[in-house]
């Protein structure tokens, strides 16, 4: 089992930046990790993912160039640096982990989930 705890969400003005963190703990090691988000009334959507090695990253097209995912294996932590935030980025952001090494973009590919952290971008 892997437990995930997100932090770093909050209220920010449009054009601003936030960095989300997700710490993984438990008896098992996390493989690939990812970030998803869910806005009110919408389905959960893929944001970014990173392989277990940290060598390969994946991004949703709308986030590419604005968001950066990274991981610090020594700290069992994955980060999501978000810049040029827009009101449409407002959502609950969830950290997810897979048992397997390679990142994927579907929610069904992930085995473990955090509780989420709220990001609100004001106009």
């Amino acid at each position: 089992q892997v437990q995930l705890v997100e932090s770093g969400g909050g209220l920010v003005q449009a054009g601003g930046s936030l960095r989300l963190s997700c710490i993984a703990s438990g008896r098992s090691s996390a493989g690939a990790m990812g970030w998803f988000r869910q806005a009110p009334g919408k389905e959960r959507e893929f944001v970014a993912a990173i392989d277990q090695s940290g060598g390969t990253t994946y991004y949703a097209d709308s986030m590419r160039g604005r968001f950066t995912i990274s991981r610090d294996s020594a700290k069992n932590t994955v980060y999501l640096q978000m810049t040029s935030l827009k009101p449409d980025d407002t959502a609950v952001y969830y950290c997810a982990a897979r048992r397997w090494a390679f990142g994927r973009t579907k929610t069904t590919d992930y085995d473990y989930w955090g509780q989420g952290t709220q990001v609100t971008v004001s106009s």
Side-chain angles (χ1 to χ4, degrees), residues 14-93:
S17 300
L18 278 177
R19 188 177 81 156
L20 306 183
S21 300
C22 173
I23 299 176
S25 63
R27 299 182 63 182
S28 301
S29 298
M33 297 185 74
W35 288 96
F36 290 75
R37 70 184 186 183
Q38 188 166 19
K42 295 186 177 181
E43 294 186 352
R44 193 168 298 189
E45 65 173 346
F46 171 73
V47 174
I50 187 167
D51 286 352
Q52 185 175 26
S53 68
T56 302
T57 56
Y58 313 79
Y59 294 95
D61 289 342
S62 62
M63 289 75 162
R64 192 182 305 276
R66 298 191 299 125
F67 293 6
T68 303
I69 189 170
S70 61
R71 71 188 295 167
D72 184 336
S73 296
K75 297 181 179 180
N76 293 323
T77 302
V78 65
Y79 304 98
L80 184 68
Q81 179 68 50
M82 305 185 293
T83 63
S84 301
L85 284 162
K86 308 172 184 179
D88 285 348
D89 293 318
T90 295
V92 177
Y93 284 70

